[in-house]
Amino acid sequence: MLTRRILPCLNVIDGRVKKRQLGSERLLDVGDPVELAFKYQENGADGLVFITDPKQDSSGQELLDMIEAISQQVFMPLTVVCNVRTVAEVKKLLLAASVFHFQQLTIAQVKEDLIKKGVPVRWNQTLQRGS
């Protein structure tokens, strides 16, 4: 059965959500990304997509702080479309929203839980079961 999913896309420019005014090049300030993410979650969104300005530096601490603040308040999938140039930048962004970053769970714990639920998981020999 097909299910409809609601995935709002928010344009983030200079740390604020912006929307282009109809028939104009003018951008309207819609609000704070963290507050809007929480409101979308309360209203039943299935996930969020944040699109940053391509001219904005994705490695900037402001973007990382925003993603971390959102991930602490919102418990749904987040997608961030930004200008990433290096593997180090990818790692920083992943850790900003990751349950592993906040030390809630280890990778081994997540894999153990998936195995218990019958989900096939590749097990790396370096991971220790039960840790």
Side-chain angles (χ1 to χ4, degrees), residues 36-89:
L36 289 172
F38 188 73
K39 286 181 184 178
Y40 276 114
Q41 177 178 272
E42 284 183 327
N43 288 301
D46 297 302
L48 286 171
V49 178
F50 292 94
I51 303 170
T52 63
D53 184 5
K55 297 173 200 130
Q56 185 176 339
D57 182 16
S58 64
S59 64
Q61 192 61 42
E62 184 179 313
L63 176 63
L64 295 172
D65 291 343
M66 179 191 80
I67 298 304
E68 190 170 333
I70 290 168
S71 69
Q72 288 176 351
Q73 292 190 24
V74 175
F75 303 98
M76 65 178 145
L78 301 176
T79 302
V80 181
V81 180
C82 60
N83 191 15
V84 177
R85 293 178 205 90
T86 67
V87 173
E89 290 177 5

